[in-house]
Amino acid sequence: MARELITGNGAAGYVLAQAGEANRSARGCCCGAYPITPQTEIIEYLRGFEFAKGRVVPVESEHSAMAVCIGASLGGARAFTASSANGLAYMAENVFAAGYFRLPIVMIAVNRTLGPPWNIWADQGDSLALRDAAWVQFYVESHQELVDTILMAFRIAEDSRVMLPVMVCMDGFIVSHTQMVVDLPEQQQVDAYLPTCSIPHRLNVDRPATVGGLAWPRETEHMRHEIQQAMERVPAVLEEARGEFEQVFGRRPHGVMSAEYVDEAETVVVASNTIARTVRNVIEQRRVGGEAIGLVSAKLFRPFPRDAIRAALHDKRRVAVLDRNHSPGSGGIFWQEIAATLQGCDVEVLQDYVVGLGGGDVTPDVVNRIIDDLVKRETSAEPVWEEVTA
Amino acid sequence: MSIALTTADQPCEHILRAGNTNCAGCGMSLGLQLLEQGLDGARPTLAIPACCGIVTAGAFPTSGYGVPVAATTFASSAAVATGLSTIAELNEETEPVICWAGDGGTYDIGLATLSAAAERNENIIYICYDNEIYGNTGGQRSSATPEGVRTTTTPKGKCEVKKDIMRIMTAHRIPYAATLSIAHREDFLQKIRTAAATRGFRFLLLLSPCPTGWKSEPDESVDLIEYAVRCGLFPLYEVFDGERYRVNVRPDGTPLEEYTSRQRRYTSADVDLGHLQSEILKQWRLLDGLCNAFPAEGKMAGRAPKRN
Ligand SMILES: Cc1ncc(C[n+]2csc(CCOP(=O)(O)OP(=O)(O)O)c2C)c(N)n1
Ligand code: SF4
């Protein structure tokens, strides 16, 4: 294991390449690559990597980047790509196709504001717009978590109980372009951690199936139900992936979420990606001052880990959800999920704060302001807009 | 996992099985059979976008195809085929990867994807069966619809001229491009053999009668294509590396009316046969000029793909 000072994009490119390389004794790997800020360094890294058995195809659009991954995956190979914002939106049709085809493709989504207006900074609205595309989705806090989650993503995606694509989402710039010291795996560790990729429904001249053609409602309903069942198996498969990870790499990565100081707290803040780190710092300071506030750092968004969320939050007095994303006409998207999950529980105040859209800097001051507001609330209101740059 | 199943997934010797859903007289039916004959026993994998050609498979879990098929999104066949052929190449598998796409997926929505795959010289055979409309959605215009022709979205006849996809594709200087006629069997088979023996991107254009949309008689489909070739409307030719030309069949003076009068899509008042005839002459002046200046002589080897 090497400890290196590296950017989020550098680390993502490095780990994707190793994962691809780890399939060299099977059918190899392939990536359809197209640039968009703040993801571009990932595909640049991959284009420069000398794969023993793999190819990175420089395509003309994100739509085709995913289509190349679909073709490679249908050919039985390990496939991966990365994109952001309008790239993800342009790719969308094939993002859904990859999910419905049940192909274990891994994609890094570097979260960026969907334009217009043209804004390249962090906002989760791009990947969350794809939440219904039959992809497993993880949101990561840090560079190290990014590395660990990408490795687990391949295991989960390719697990025969799951067979679904996985998206690993990080904050644009805040993670993608900053450097941190990270434990990077060696190739032989990745080889040991990732079994070679085996796709049961890959196209095969000896078994001439037509994949993805016309289907009647009954068969379609059944296929969709199977996807739901596969999603429901993800938390258990993730637990196994963590256990194996610890054996190979000697540290235990995150699970479906991280609940911290929650047991003794009446007030809990839910956040994801790097905002969760800022919240953690603020909460730790306020605990020194005697306030019992807990944190739920949400990581797995699809499938939504309802059991874990309910267990952590069902008896809390006040819960705040911080959303760096927004569904116009409704509110924050994590909040919608948590509100649905906590139906029938005793939570008195469940307050959504839409904060940091378009990359607004969610500083400790902003988080303190939110917590000050939260602890005074007796009832929840409509989503609160916390404009950090006001 | 049911997406993976097709009940008819035992090996079958034919690309197109009996009992598929094509309309009677569909040019695809003969086209797919001639493709199989030209491939001389090779077992292709097909990437088929949204179009009549994927409806040909019929409904899950059966399939009208006896070879593996990826049903791709409308614009994506050339990119999905890129992924498939990449993995085939990495695993030293030599069976061809073939896109089988309509004119909508080729001239219109899929053009950027197609152009990019051609530019990268992917190891794919791309066959466009051109029925000059969106057949699957009920016969709307495409940029392959000829001038004057009535479709459901050009009720008074199309104002614009047909896009020349062969010029677009040969401008990519792909190793091999050719036009195919279901009325010229030997020529068709020879071109499939040439395509199969060439590496890199190969583009084949098949004028594919669609009795349903052309408002023609199903039993006249082969005759229609025969007339289209003989009157010069649909030239049969080959282009190697985008720069060496060969005409395979020359027009023989058959009047254009033999072709148009058998299709009720050509009944708009805007159809001007004199004008269409002069366009045919222009097309031949250009083609003859290219053939004279850049003749394809002897056996041609296409530009093999380079990878790094
Ligand atoms: C993105 C997208 N837009 C529209 C459609 C609807 N659609 C399906 S097939 C088709 C037309 C296909 O026409 P063509 O490629 O000429 O093939 P044909 O049906 O004539 O065989 C259209 C518009 C679609 N499937 N996907
Ligand atoms: S509509 Fe036309 S192209 Fe489609 S199956 Fe029928 S005849 Fe063939």
Side-chain angles (χ1 to χ4, degrees), chain A residues 27 53 94 210-211 214 226, chain B residues 2 60 63 69 73 91 93:
Chain A
R27 292 187 64 76
K53 188 175 184 179
N94 281 332
T210 294
V211 183
L214 216 70
E226 285 181 328
Chain B
S2 45
F60 177 89
S63 179
V69 177
T73 55
N91 289 281
E93 293 159 353

Side-chain angles (χ1 to χ4, degrees), chain A residues 153-335:
Chain A
F154 282 100
R155 267 198 85 115
I156 295 165
E158 294 169 8
D159 190 291
S160 62
R161 293 161 293 178
V162 177
M163 269 298 141
L164 285 170
V166 179
M167 204 180 295
V168 179
C169 311
M170 67 166 123
D171 280 336
F173 293 103
I174 308 170
V175 173
S176 67
H177 284 66
T178 58
Q179 290 184 311
M180 294 282 274
V181 175
V182 181
D183 280 334
L184 291 175
E186 305 291 344
Q187 185 65 53
Q188 74 260 40
Q189 289 177 300
V190 179
D191 293 348
Y193 183 60
L194 295 181
T196 54
C197 173
S198 162
I199 298 172
H201 53 306
R202 81 169 177 87
L203 294 182
N204 187 336
V205 280
D206 300 326
R207 201 183 59 84
T210 294
V211 183
L214 216 70
W216 300 119
R218 198 173 61 146
E219 283 79 14
T220 308
E221 274 181 324
H222 183 64
M223 289 179 202
R224 295 295 197 261
H225 192 189
E226 285 181 328
I227 289 175
Q228 176 63 21
Q229 289 164 333
M231 281 282 182
E232 282 161 10
R233 291 191 281 268
V234 167
V237 174
L238 170 61
E239 277 314 302
E240 288 176 28
R242 292 173 77 194
E244 300 274 343
F245 192 104
E246 193 172 9
Q247 282 181 17
V248 175
F249 299 101
R251 62 173 186 280
R252 195 168 172 79
H254 67 79
V256 300
M257 59 174 225
S258 163
E260 299 163 29
Y261 316 114
V262 163
D263 288 345
E264 69 265 39
E266 280 201 327
T267 300
V268 176
V269 179
V270 183
S272 61
N273 279 13
T274 56
I275 293 181
R277 283 159 64 189
T278 310
V279 173
R280 181 180 296 113
N281 288 340
V282 168
I283 284 177
E284 282 171 355
Q285 276 168 15
R286 291 180 81 129
R287 286 176 63 82
V288 174
E291 282 181 277
I293 301 173
L295 167 70
V296 166
S297 172
K299 302 189 191 298
L300 183 65
F301 184 80
R302 277 289 177 274
F304 198 72
R306 291 198 204 113
D307 293 344
I309 291 281
R310 211 178 283 119
L313 300 178
H314 70 99
D315 56 353
K316 301 303 159 198
R317 186 138 176 245
R318 293 190 179 89
V319 173
V321 183
L322 273 52
D323 272 302
R324 196 200 284 272
N325 60 75
H326 172 235
S327 173
S330 179
I333 295 169
F334 279 79
W335 165 73

